[in-house]
Amino acid sequence: MSIERQKILIIDDTPANITLLGMALQDQYEIQIATSGKKGLVLASETPPDLVLLDIMMPDLDGYETCRLFKSDAKLQHIPIIFVTALSEIEAEIQGLSLGAADFLIKPFNLQIAQLRVRNLLETERMRQALRQKEEDQRLAATVFAYSHDGIVITDVENRIINVNNAFSRITGYGLDEIKGENPRILKSGRQDTEFYRNMWQALLSEGHWSGEIWNRNKQGEIYAALTSIAVVRDDQDSIHHFIGSFIDITPIKEHQHALERIAHFDPLTGVPNRFLLSDRLEQAIVHARRSRKLMAVCYLDLDEFKPINDRFGHQVGDQLLIEITRRIMACLREGDTLARIGGDEFVLLLLDINDSGECKTILRRILKAVSAKMLLANQTVSVSLSLGFTLYPDDSADSETLIRHADQAMYQAKQQGKNRFQRFDAFREK
């Protein structure tokens, strides 16, 4: 990759001076030539040079006036100017320096000295521009750091906090004076295990960066979700100098996602799984039953005489009845069992790790008893019962949809036999 050569504009009305300076500098620099101050200003405006060599004694527009016009132009005022003159009087230097000139070359000049002065001035200007760019970058970085809506934390090589921005304090509740010198683990919520952080650090140190979601805890003890990015900053020797972490609080997004998931998978009235989640749970339960070599009961539940109560007392009381029935059934279940509402007053129950049909019937009797107990709703004493049908997998080795249909068929048999009872599916009876 070639480095672009620096550009020097020579403004002089004497061809001999132009030729002499041009020959001395053309091997190292790109040379532009103007034979008057006006032409020099036009050339500089079109393609600003890195340095101007400017003759003082020129007709029409002398070097002093040309220099003044350069320094009054915002686009050109930072270009260093070296006066080229035969005038050696101190007044000429004072006037030139007062106009902003950087140096003087006195005619007749030594070409080696001229080359050195040009090189030194250009190198000084290069460093000045680099310093100015660095200062601008630092000001920009400081502005971004201070006003960013993202929380930013800077830690040293030992991962001790050395600086945080205002957004960090707003999100976490901690000011710099409270947290300086601490390890960011002070924010740890406990939701993610040691393995999570081990993998995070492994990726960070091997790849130089890491991004992901971290659940943290703020000063008030509230847990929040942070979409986080961490970068390693290394020095010229490739040693770790510090770490920079930035994050945004995505708790509202996570809460919205959770709400959407509940709407999609849970019954809004009772809070138990709906038909869609039941389908997933049943597939998982079938796999579990195969592995454990134990029975699983698929039960279909339907309330007896629910419609008359709903018609008599209204839908609001009917909804409260369904909520209470759900609570009573859930109180009879064990960890790992699933109760799902699939519509109206119909429910499906999955009982896992059943040893035999007797154990299943014991649980179902407990449910029937709990449901049939009287309850007070809208200052009215009401009671309902259940008709319940069930089938046992893998004794009944049908697929998930067929298992539910078999349990439904058994439930209708229970209703026909007088309600408030359960009935096991009998494949031979159905044939």
Side-chain angles (χ1 to χ4, degrees), residues 105-302:
L105 286 177
I106 307 298
K107 302 175 187 177
F109 39 74
N110 181 287
L111 290 181
Q112 187 176 8
I113 291 177
Q115 289 173 329
L116 289 173
R117 288 193 173 185
V118 167
R119 188 191 69 186
N120 291 343
L121 187 56
L122 283 172
E123 183 60 28
T124 300
E125 179 62 15
R126 190 198 299 271
M127 290 189 292
R128 187 190 69 80
Q129 290 179 1
L131 179 60
R132 185 175 64 186
Q133 184 61 50
K134 185 177 181 180
E135 290 173 346
E136 289 178 358
D137 292 343
Q138 289 176 339
R139 281 195 296 270
L140 178 60
T143 300
V144 171
F145 182 79
Y147 295 103
S148 173
H149 288 287
D150 295 1
I152 301 175
V153 55
I154 303 174
T155 64
D156 61 17
V157 67
E158 301 295 333
N159 203 30
R160 294 185 297 258
I161 295 173
I162 58 178
N163 204 358
V164 300
N165 69 346
N166 293 332
F168 176 97
S169 299
R170 172 177 51 79
I171 296 171
T172 68
Y174 289 102
L176 178 60
D177 56 338
E178 300 174 283
I179 207 169
K180 190 172 184 179
E182 297 283 353
N183 189 294
R185 72 168 65 96
I186 194 174
L187 302 172
K188 192 174 178 181
S189 69
R191 280 203 181 184
Q192 283 139 323
D193 58 19
T194 303
E195 184 68 17
F196 170 84
Y197 290 99
R198 184 183 297 116
N199 292 336
M200 181 190 80
W201 275 101
Q202 182 178 352
L204 181 61
L205 296 177
S206 62
E207 300 175 18
H209 60 86
W210 177 89
S211 61
E213 293 180 8
I214 300 179
W215 286 93
N216 281 335
R217 189 184 303 275
N218 65 21
K219 185 178 178 181
Q220 291 72 39
E222 300 164 337
I223 294 177
Y224 63 94
L227 183 60
T228 304
S229 178
I230 306 172
V232 178
V233 180
R234 297 181 180 273
D235 59 21
D236 295 338
Q237 286 72 46
D238 202 36
S239 298
I240 295 176
H241 191 266
H242 56 272
F243 302 93
I244 299 179
S246 62
F247 63 93
I248 57 174
D249 183 357
I250 59 170
T251 307
I253 297 174
K254 302 297 285 187
E255 290 174 345
H256 183 61
Q257 289 176 345
H258 180 68
L260 291 177
E261 289 174 2
R262 286 203 63 82
I263 292 171
H265 297 104
F266 291 87
D267 175 48
L269 177 64
T270 62
V272 298
N274 60 17
R275 185 185 296 271
F276 299 105
L277 184 54
L278 170 66
S279 178
D280 182 63
R281 293 275 181 92
L282 182 51
E283 293 293 343
Q284 294 180 34
I286 289 173
V287 173
H288 176 78
R290 289 172 182 163
R291 291 175 177 172
S292 66
R293 298 187 177 182
K294 289 189 175 184
L295 299 172
M296 172 189 64
V298 179
C299 313
Y300 203 104
L301 293 67
D302 184 86

Side-chain angles (χ1 to χ4, degrees), residues 303-323:
L303 292 180
D304 301 324
E305 307 302 328
F306 173 71
K307 188 176 184 301
I309 294 175
N310 208 35
D311 292 343
R312 179 182 175 187
F313 298 107
H315 291 289
Q316 187 172 2
V317 172
D319 287 348
Q320 291 302 312
L321 174 62
L322 291 172
I323 293 171

Side-chain angles (χ1 to χ4, degrees), residues 90-107:
I90 191 66
E91 291 81 5
E93 290 193 29
I94 292 174
Q95 185 175 355
L97 292 172
S98 67
L99 289 170
D103 204 351
F104 279 81
L105 286 177
I106 307 298
K107 302 175 187 177

